[in-house]
Amino acid sequence: MRNKSFIAVVLIVLLPVAGLGWLGVRLLGSERQALEHRTRTLVEAQLLIIDDSIKAYFDAQRSQLLRDIKGLPRDTTALRTYAQSKRLVRQVFVMDARGERLHPPVNAALTEAEQRFLVRSADIWRSRDILYQGAQPPAQEPDLRKTDAMRSDGWYVWHWATETDLIFWQRDAERLIGIELEPARVKADIIGLLPATASNEEHLGPARIQLLDERGALAYQWGELNGGSDATARLLAQRPLSHPLGSWKLAYYAPAANGSAVSGKLGLASAVSALALAIAGLAWYLHREHTRTARLAMQRVNFVNQVSHELKIPLTNIRMYAELLAQQLDGSEERPRRYLDIIVAESQRLSRLILNVLNFGRMQREAVRLHRQAGVIDAAVASALEAFRPALEGKGVQISFTRGAPANAEFDRDALEQILNNLFSNVEKYGSSGARLDVITEQSADHTVIRVRDYGAGIPLRERERVFEAFFRLNSKLSDGVTGTGIGLTIARELARLHGGELRLLESESGAHFEVTLRTAGARA
Amino acid sequence: MAMHDSRRRRGGIGAWAYLFSTLLALSFATTANADQGTQQVNLNVALGSPVVLAGAKQTAVVKVALTGAQIDSERQRTPVNVAIVLDRSGSMAGAKIEHAKQAAAIAIDRLDANDVAAIVTYDDVVKVIMPATRVADKSAFKRAIARIQPGGSTALFAGVAKGAKEVEKFLQRERVNRVILLSDGLANVGPSSPDELGQLGASLAKDGISVTTIGLGLGYNEDLMARLAGMSDGSHAFVEHPQELARIFDAEFGDVLSVVAQEVRINIRCADGIKPVRVLGREADIAGQNVSMSMNQLYGAQEKFVLLEVEVPPGRPGARLTVAEVDVAYFNTTTKQSDRVAGQVALSYSDSQQSVTQATDKKVMADAVEQVANSISKEAIKLKDAGKLMEARKKLEEGASYLEQNAQQYQVPRLRGLSGQFKKDSAELDDERQWNRQRKSMVKRQYSTEKQQKF
């Protein structure tokens, strides 16, 4: 009973909460997906803009270098001065149409820087074709996708030691001029054109963009992410740079849990938990009410138990002395004898009530033990019926007893008597208007059935099971003027079940029809 | 060393011959540009040994010294365009960052509305807390400085790049364009090799931007910092204790505010028969007979010099030989015009060891000795880095006795003091706990010697 109510409470709370939570999570999930998609699109657009600015930088350098080359004198000193004075230029070289070196000069002393350049650019001098291959722009730039023979300028990228080295070359029919850029300065320029980290992150929000070089090493980063620590960063998007820095890439990191997702999840969680709290509160209230009722009932039972105990002894004395007194009266004293009969009958009724109460209390606390003894069911039924006969006949009830259990059987006489007492007492209290009581017994090898039927007001269909609940009383109309504890049928059913049987209310056209089944093993005909 | 040893083996010579040849040599060591009124730079080309022994091939040292004119008043001062780049990595927390902020604020106080300054900080990321602005509202700068808080890692390269970017916004040849970098740690975000930083420095120098690097504490990479400063012709300082920062900033700004010439291009054309061997201390391009190099700026009343070692062919006694012609082009920051100054130097041959000895320019020789000793000190660091403690120590002791001998020969007490320093360096070399500090101190001294830095 207790367990059941607890499980019910848990289910009442958990099911709606779980259902709502699931719905919420799904909704939030799809919302987050949409948001994620939107964010990703925005982020990708942002990376594209950044890439464009870097591309624009290289385009500007290209124009500048083309202008430089146009005005560049061919003599060694001028070329050297150019290389030494241009911020972005590390070295200049010139080839003739056959790929032979014109500058750095072949027949003159070389500076140390020129010698170093020749070492690192040895591949180019072996085959200048690599310049054109390295300068292959990505396919998505159709205007640049000319054949090698057609292109007159381009970028060549190669990786020397830990740096990305860039060469811009331009050629005509007679010569090819190459300009090697200063890698560190290119990096610094790119860092210069990329945003710094603002103190108040308004445009970027909590995010970090990283520029990674061809080895995947961090070249530059900006954006404040979780106050600088990026332990919880989550890669949202990345994008390779355009030619010529195609081996570099941009990576966009956002906080592990996106801000809006966090608030969404938080909102959902708080809504669900508020709901859970409300339902739990309700459930707790109901549970408390329920246990309070049960506790009150229990207290009532305990109280009645105690009172009944106290009543038992004086009642026994009253009965005993009343019976003694009856024996001493002679036949002439009709009136006192009738009074005494009433006293005895009423005290018997009182003992039954007390016994009921005590039994009920015992059953609540502990298992009741049966004391089976050999006996005849019919005899026990008759004896119980006999005790009620005066009261029933006093209310005009005609009793019919059909005996069908004459065999010797093992049963608890007290238990059977109590079951029957309760049934008969109900007939007396509620069914006397039918003016008829049928008691039928039947017996099989190991079962005995006793049917008790009255023809009174009966019990409505929907109350059929509830009459067996403790402290249940039918509506006041029926119970008007009738006293009782409301535990009789409960005890009767418990006892019947204890006895391996059942107490059922059978369907009937009028009145109440109870059927008691008892397992009466060892019955012999 | 070779040139020096060869000279010491020569014998005595007559006083007359000495006097004659000295006068001769002096007549060739001229400062040719006539217009002294607006002359910002004084060129002095001299030989360590204006008289050499006849009949043998030998080496000689040419000193090309440039001295900026003293600026008369604050009014004449060249306006500056400076970016102060401060490390605010986690390790700067505490006294370091406080003193750095204080030093930066004091530096801002020395500037005025003609100057442009920017404040950049970096940790994992770079923040331009004060973009390049005229220093009209000093309190705005100070407020920005006051807000600096220590953070995470050290994105040094990016810090310098952003600092340079700010300087580029007001890049003018009429201004002293400079990035002042303060760092106490290893660059651990972005490019971090001394080579790359050196390249960046060299490239910035082409724009006329110098980077001064101030290493604070014992955690920074002195090679990287010295390289960055060296290639861009800035200054380099080692500040062990944060409370010295204010003084160093003061010295640095003292220099910056005294610049008289920029874009200094030095061309030394060696005469036929003279073979340029190497330039002591400084970076230079040697191509055939031509030696060229640049200095980003010259400070008022400070001498910067280039020492070129040349091979001199054998000659007859009494013969004179032009060794080199020097041409210096620079931008005069006072007149805001490009100026040139030229000079040449010649030597004469003599039979007399005495005249050779007496003609010797002790100052030039001392400078050369100092540069040679400096390269010995650098080699010692390399040996120590390679784990060769004994060799490193031997190297330093060699350097010490070399300095000692020359101190005696040229009667230059400065060299004796330097010898003592070498001995001290050698003695302390095996103290591993002190090595980090000592190495930084040595790199700083080497740097100052190479660049004739005054602080």
Side-chain angles (χ1 to χ4, degrees), chain B residues 94-337:
Chain B
K96 284 183 181 174
I97 195 91
E98 289 315 316
H99 278 97
K101 284 157 76 172
Q102 203 183 331
I106 293 171
I108 291 296
D109 266 335
R110 295 191 61 172
L111 304 180
D112 61 40
N114 287 325
D115 300 310
V116 173
I119 313 276
V120 173
T121 65
Y122 63 91
D123 61 335
D124 296 342
V125 293
V126 183
K127 289 183 177 178
V128 180
I129 62 167
M130 198 69 195
T133 322
R134 284 186 182 277
V135 190
D137 180 6
K138 291 185 182 177
S139 62
F141 279 88
K142 288 178 184 171
R143 278 198 302 277
I145 291 169
R147 280 197 295 270
I148 299 173
Q149 295 287 329
S153 310
T154 307
L156 189 143
F157 185 95
V160 176
K162 282 289 183 195
K165 174 79 179 175
E166 290 305 309
V167 170
E168 279 172 26
K169 288 180 183 171
F170 287 81
L171 191 62
Q172 286 172 310
R173 59 197 320 213
E174 294 86 1
R175 292 182 177 278
V176 182
N177 304 294
R178 182 161 298 213
V179 174
I180 298 174
L181 170 71
L182 171 75
S183 179
D184 80 327
L186 301 176
N188 50 21
V189 176
S192 57
S193 70
D195 270 354
E196 276 175 300
L197 271 299
Q199 285 170 10
L200 177 60
S203 173
L204 288 172
K206 290 180 182 177
D207 277 342
I209 301 173
S210 295
V211 183
T212 285
T213 59
I214 301 169
L216 175 58
L218 299 173
Y220 69 93
N221 179 344
E222 59 273 22
D223 293 337
L224 180 151
M225 297 285 266
R227 194 76 175 278
L228 175 56
M231 297 301 276
S232 63
D233 204 23
S235 307
H236 169 62
F238 163 40
V239 178
E240 191 177 354
H241 306 291
Q243 53 269 31
E244 299 162 31
L245 269 178
R247 183 177 61 76
I248 293 297
F249 265 69
D250 197 54
E252 164 68 7
F253 272 81
D255 273 3
V256 167
L257 298 177
S258 76
V259 167
V260 294
Q262 298 200 120
E263 299 171 19
V264 184
R265 311 253 177 274
I266 302 162
N267 241 297
I268 306 171
R269 191 175 156 70
C270 292
D272 290 342
I274 304 287
K275 184 173 178 268
V277 179
R278 59 173 174 161
V279 170
L280 298 176
R282 287 181 183 268
E283 292 281 325
D285 278 323
I286 302 178
Q289 294 301 97
N290 277 317
V291 180
S292 60
M293 78 212 62
S294 301
M295 290 181 192
N296 234 7
Q297 66 279 305
L298 290 171
Y299 304 117
Q302 278 191 36
E303 185 194 71
K304 302 277 169 182
F305 58 76
V306 176
L307 291 168
L308 173 66
E309 191 180 309
V310 293
E311 220 171 73
V312 181
R316 286 175 294 102
R320 291 175 314 216
L321 178 63
T322 300
V323 176
E325 289 168 349
V326 178
D327 177 66
V328 178
Y330 64 92
F331 180 76
N332 184 331
T333 56
T334 306
T335 60
K336 315 216 182 310
Q337 278 171 3

Side-chain angles (χ1 to χ4, degrees), chain A residues 80 82-90 109-114 116 162-163 182-185 187-199 208 215 218-224 228-230, chain B residues 88 123-129 155 157-162 164-165 168 188-191 193 195-207 209 265 283-290 292 294:
Chain A
R80 277 182 181 155
Y82 176 76
Q84 280 165 13
S85 61
K86 285 288 176 176
R87 60 196 291 274
L88 209 57
V89 179
R90 190 190 211 180
L110 296 176
T111 65
E112 224 180 295
E114 286 165 347
R116 282 199 301 269
T162 61
E163 56 200 30
E182 182 63 76
R185 192 56 189 266
K187 267 184 206 175
D189 275 358
I190 290 173
I191 289 172
L193 70 89
L194 293 175
T197 302
S199 295
R208 172 158 295 174
R215 290 168 300 140
L218 182 60
Y220 180 63
Q221 60 181 5
W222 71 98
E224 208 71 271
S229 138
D230 42 32
Chain B
R88 63 170 196 100
D123 61 335
D124 296 342
V125 293
V126 183
K127 289 183 177 178
V128 180
I129 62 167
F157 185 95
V160 176
K162 282 289 183 195
K165 174 79 179 175
E168 279 172 26
N188 50 21
V189 176
S193 70
D195 270 354
E196 276 175 300
L197 271 299
Q199 285 170 10
L200 177 60
S203 173
L204 288 172
K206 290 180 182 177
D207 277 342
I209 301 173
R265 311 253 177 274
E283 292 281 325
D285 278 323
I286 302 178
Q289 294 301 97
N290 277 317
S292 60
S294 301

